[in-house]
Every structure is written in structure tokens, then in C-alpha cells.
Amino acid sequence: MADSTGQEPAEPGHTGAVAADPYDRIAWRDLYARSAALRELAAELAARHAHTTDLLADAFLAAYLAAPRVREAAEMAPSRLFNREVVAELAASPGFAALRRETAGDPYAAALAVLAEAPALRLLLDRTEPVREAADRAAEARRSAGRPARTAGETARQAGATAGALGAGATSADGAAGPASAPAAPAGQAASRAEAAARQALEAATPGIRAAARTATAQAVRVTREEAALMRAWGVGHGELERMPYEERARLAERLRTGRLARWAELIGRFRQMADGERARKVENATGELIGVTLGDDLSRVLPSELAHLGLPELRAVFAARYAAGELMLYDSRGEQTTGQGAVIACVDTSHSMYEEGPGGITREAWSKACALALLDQARHARRDFVGILFSAADKLQVFRFPADRPAPVERVLEFAETFLGGGTSYQRPLSAAAALLAEEFDTAARGRGDIVLITDDECGVTEQWTREWQEARHRLGFRLFGLAVGAPTATASGSVLEALCDNLRPIEDLTDVRAAADLFRLI
């Protein structure tokens, strides 16, 4: 029944179980408008159950807010007490803190968590329909209990208006409100009984709600962590993700999950982590050829005669003073040196044989592309240009350039990683293309000493004329060629073409081992 304004009286209490300011709710509404998946989920649930869009909003806010607060039951509208119980159990789940480490402040990740929770919530809603029906009956009974009083008030106002027009003597001796107020007490008692029944039903359902909430949270943690790891594996930073529009981020995530190398994201991530660790090593302290004695304060290279001073109490102060002054006698060695200055160029074989799987089911292509992506990171860390050259037969070549002074668009990186040419194998064209790029860099920017990494699983011949031109270019530009023979040990045999061409050559047999190429990231 509508009141005097024509509106059905509002249900007392909050409809949102999570306390949030208007700006936070705008974040939900904006995301809801952008996400077709959320809208489809809301429409599906709303067609079968009441108040489910409010439940999705609460689940989102619980994951998104920096410090979410679930309202007390007394603050809630009776029809939303079920939603409040579900969100309270989500927040109390053992994995909720881990979930919020992925989702807090990130609306996309919070929405992803809601979608991941959907299967458990859907099953829970189906099983607890009677509980929510009891809550709705209680809400309706409470609204009904308020109607007689509002009707009596309206009658009194009308009677007062009439009395004002006809005079005080026209007022009924019994009072205008008397007959209308009689139904109020029975209606109030009915509302109380309905609310008690709803509370009992909710209490009985609480163990099932708790179990479903734990399942939903565990699923959300798994999905959000997997996507975060996927983004990290492909080198997409958190800051870049936060700036990315929702639709673009959703498309990127879908592409990463379904692309050619999606199943090798973990390998790509391990390669990049290994390379990052190798960069952190102090190459200048690497063990190498001893060439004499020098002075310094590096305790790892102190001569034994200096250490002997620590055994004599009267000479310890002398040792400490010389250490502070950097005048201890140390072994001097010549070890690995990082010498590259020009571009880093990865020439990656994409012939048909690169489809072949090695240990662990990892393909030669996957290992090679993971290594190349780590080299891209290496170049960007050193502020050097990176070029990816994909090759197969002599007539198949594709070049991807990533200048150091410009961002590396993730779409372009993915295109490089996912492109596969097929066909046979020819070294001459990709290596000639790499030398030409280094020559262009040398002539225009005066940068030499670039590095080329040739990753292949095959061996092929080269002409004598091409070999002379190659040696001339290498002498003029001062670049180095590193060779990685993936699953092809014969290509590294004595007298092979690769051995003749490369400054540094190694076989890669175990494709699960990313450390087989570790020293590249100390030398390049």
C-alpha cells in the first residue's frame, strides 16, 4: 500500500552490508557499467533471487576498500540480513587477507574476485532460497505494521481540517484516530513473529553460508593470484595495469590466458626472475684469472698473510685501520666483464622443428621465446635498444624493434612472442639483418659493441663470401655473437658452423633449466 505521497514506504535500515562512502560506490557503479561479465552475472542471479545485485556490490566493496567494515545486523534492512551474513563470512574466511593483498585499491582485481566467487555464491543462493524468503516476509510484515498508524495519522489530519472548517463542535466525541489505531497492535505482533522466524532460519543456515564463503574466497584467491602472476610473467607492472582502462586490461588478460605461449607463462616468469637475479650479481668480483695483488677493502679477496694479523691481539687494531683506509692487500683478478654498449639483438629460430617438445613437455619455441623476453628486460634495464628477429627459411624474416628511449607496448611484445613463421632454417639472412642494424646504430649514434644472441635448434651452411663479409662487419663494429643450440647438441660439435661463428656457444638440452643461459645475463 502506498502512503499519501503515492510511494510504498521504504524498508528501514541499510541495504548495503559494507559501509562505503559515495565515491567508493561510484567505483562499483562505474565498473559495473564497464563489465559485461558482471552485468550478465547480476542479471542471471536477479532472475532467480532477490537483492543479488546488492550482494555483488557488497562482495566487490569488501575486496576493494582499504579497510572494509561490515555493518552490524541491527543496522541492516531485514531483507538484506542474508547478504550481510554472507559478506561477514567472506570477510572472516581464512584466505580473505590473502585475497585483499591482490584486490585492495584495484577495482579490476576486485571485480575479478567477485566473478571468481560466483559459482559458490550461485550454489549457496539456490540452497538458501527459503531463508531469504523468510527475510522478505519479515520485511513485508514490518512495512504492513507501519501502515495502520500512517492511515490513522492521515485520518486525524483530515478530521482536523474538517473541524477547522465547521467549528470545534463538529469534532467527534470519540476522536478521529480511535477506530483506525486498533489494528496496529496485531500487525506489530505479526511482524515480530515474522522477524523471529527469519532470524531462526538465518541462524540455521549459517554453517552452510560459512562453508560456501570459504570456498568462494579460496577460488577468488586462486584466480586473482594466477592473473597477477600471468601479468608479472609477461613483464606487465602493477603501475601499468592501474593506468590501463578496464576494457583494455580485460582484453589483455584474455589474450595472455589463451595465446600461443599461455601455458608457458610460468617458464617465462622463471626466466625473467633468473635474469633479474643475475643482473644483481657483482660481475667485477667474479672469480677469474689471478693477475697480481692490489689494495682495497674487499674481505672476500684478502691475502692469507693479512688475515693472519687477526690472530695476534696486538695487530688487530692495525688490520682495522688498514681496512678502514682501504689498504688491505687483495688478490687482483681478471674475470667476466660487461662490455656491450650497442643494441641487444635476439635472433630466434621459428622453423617447424621448434615445435618439438623436450623434458617437461616444454617446446623449443617456448624456451627460446622465454629467453628472448628476458633479453628484452636485460636491454631495457641497461638502457640499450632491443631487436627481436624471428627467422626460419631464407625468405622468412620478421623484425621487432624496441628502442630504449620509448616504452615497450605490451601488445607489441606479445606479437613478437606469438609470431611463428615455420619452414626451414637459414642463418645468413637473420645474422646479416642483425649486423646491418648494428651498423646503422654505429653510423647514426656512434654506439658500438652490440650483442647478438642466436637461438636455434638446427645447423645450416653459410657461403664463403658471406663469411668474409660477416667477419669484416664484426671487426668494424666490435659486436659479439652468442649461440644457444636448443635441443641440438650436434650443432655445438667441434667444427660446426655455429662453433666457427660464435664467440660463446653452448648446448641447451634440459628445457626445464633456465639457468643454462644464466651467464648471458652477466655478460650482456
Side-chain angles (χ1 to χ4, degrees):
M1 179 184 295
D3 62 18
S4 61
T5 64
Q7 300 291 326
E8 185 70 21
E11 183 183 0
H14 291 281
T15 58
V18 177
D21 62 38
Y23 295 103
D24 295 324
R25 295 203 174 273
I26 287 173
W28 159 251
R29 288 195 294 270
D30 180 65
L31 194 73
Y32 184 82
R34 293 172 179 270
S35 172
L38 278 178
R39 294 195 302 275
E40 290 169 5
L41 174 61
E44 175 205 338
L45 296 180
R48 300 161 58 189
H49 310 290
H51 319 306
T52 49
T53 302
D54 287 339
L55 176 59
L56 296 181
D58 285 331
F60 170 84
L61 292 169
Y64 171 69
L65 294 182
R69 179 180 75 83
V70 180
R71 299 185 194 276
E72 297 297 327
E75 302 177 68
M76 298 299 299
S79 62
R80 305 308 198 279
L81 282 172
F82 177 84
N83 289 1
R84 186 259 171 203
E85 189 69 18
V86 172
V87 175
E89 292 296 344
L90 284 173
S93 297
F96 191 69
L99 174 64
R100 285 182 35 72
R101 283 194 287 271
E102 303 292 344
T103 61
D106 186 341
Y108 175 89
L112 184 65
V114 173
L115 294 171
E117 291 165 352
L121 295 179
R122 187 183 293 113
L123 184 60
L124 174 64
L125 290 168
D126 288 340
R127 290 177 174 176
T128 56
E129 182 66 24
V131 179
R132 280 168 294 107
E133 288 176 349
D136 286 341
R137 285 194 296 269
E140 177 58 29
R142 180 53 61 193
R143 283 193 293 267
S144 298
R147 287 169 188 152
R150 283 188 296 275
T151 302
E154 180 61 23
T155 302
R157 283 193 297 275
Q158 293 174 356
T162 303
L166 301 178
T171 306
S172 169
D174 294 331
S181 61
Q189 293 169 1
S192 296
R193 288 194 297 271
E195 289 172 356
R199 284 195 298 271
Q200 291 174 359
L202 185 58
E203 289 172 3
T206 296
I209 294 174
R210 182 175 299 121
R214 292 186 176 191
T215 300
T217 301
Q219 179 70 0
V221 169
R222 184 185 67 79
V223 170
T224 53
R225 279 181 172 172
E226 284 180 357
E227 180 150 319
L230 188 65
M231 294 295 180
R232 286 194 297 270
W234 285 94
V236 186
H238 186 70
E240 185 178 356
L241 289 175
E242 286 187 336
R243 295 189 298 271
M244 197 175 292
Y246 177 87
E247 298 87 344
E248 182 181 343
R249 185 168 171 180
R251 286 194 300 270
L252 173 61
E254 180 64 18
R255 182 173 179 182
L256 293 181
R257 283 193 294 267
T258 60
R260 277 179 50 79
L261 298 181
R263 58 187 289 218
W264 308 123
E266 188 270 340
L267 173 69
I268 294 168
R270 284 197 294 121
F271 239 113
R272 286 180 139 149
Q273 289 174 1
M274 177 274 292
D276 187 59
E278 291 302 314
R279 279 195 295 274
R281 292 183 56 178
K282 292 184 178 180
V283 173
E284 63 271 17
N285 291 335
T287 302
E289 177 188 358
L290 296 178
I291 58 174
V293 176
T294 187
L295 299 179
D297 60 359
D298 184 354
L299 296 178
S300 67
R301 295 189 288 135
V302 175
L303 266 62
S305 58
E306 289 278 30
L307 291 174
H309 294 164
L310 294 175
L312 301 173
E314 60 272 19
L315 293 179
R316 288 174 186 168
V318 175
F319 180 93
R322 294 179 63 184
Y323 172 69
E327 295 179 351
L328 293 174
M329 289 190 293
L330 314 175
Y331 286 117
D332 194 12
S333 65
R334 179 169 54 217
E336 298 167 320
Q337 299 294 323
T338 55
T339 60
Q341 298 294 326
V344 176
I345 302 178
C347 297
V348 182
D349 188 348
T350 60
S351 60
H352 283 309
S353 57
M354 294 292 280
Y355 278 128
E356 187 171 331
E357 293 184 357
I362 298 173
T363 65
R364 297 173 179 179
E365 178 201 7
W367 193 96
S368 302
K369 296 284 183 64
C371 183
L373 291 173
L375 288 169
L376 168 60
D377 290 347
Q378 184 83 354
R380 299 198 72 77
H381 185 269
R383 297 182 176 84
R384 298 168 66 183
D385 290 354
F386 176 81
V387 182
I389 299 178
L390 304 180
F391 70 93
S392 57
D395 61 340
K396 293 185 177 182
L397 188 84
Q398 195 160 345
V399 178
F400 297 82
R401 303 185 72 163
F402 298 91
D405 58 355
R406 286 179 240 160
V410 65
E411 293 290 335
R412 186 66 172 164
V413 173
L414 284 172
E415 186 182 359
F416 164 62
E418 294 179 347
T419 298
F420 194 88
L421 303 178
T425 303
S426 171
Y427 295 163
Q428 290 188 185
R429 191 174 177 203
L431 291 178
S432 294
L437 289 167
L438 292 176
E440 176 187 344
E441 183 181 40
F442 182 81
D443 293 337
T444 58
R447 289 200 297 267
R449 296 191 304 172
D451 291 305
I452 303 171
V453 180
L454 177 65
I455 310 175
T456 182
D457 71 339
D458 201 358
E459 186 175 18
C460 66
V462 293
T463 67
E464 185 177 341
Q465 175 64 28
W466 180 89
T467 303
R468 282 197 298 270
E469 293 172 356
W470 170 259
Q471 296 296 349
E472 290 171 3
R474 182 154 64 175
H475 178 73
R476 183 172 82 91
L477 303 173
F479 60 77
R480 297 176 297 178
L481 175 62
F482 297 84
L484 299 173
V486 183
T490 58
T492 62
S494 178
S496 68
V497 174
L498 279 180
E499 184 193 42
L501 291 176
C502 295
D503 300 287
N504 185 306
L505 175 64
R506 81 223 43 217
I508 306 297
E509 298 181 17
D510 182 0
L511 301 187
T512 64
D513 181 15
V514 299
R515 298 205 60 81
D519 66 321
L520 282 180
F521 300 93
R522 298 195 303 272
L523 297 172
I524 292 179

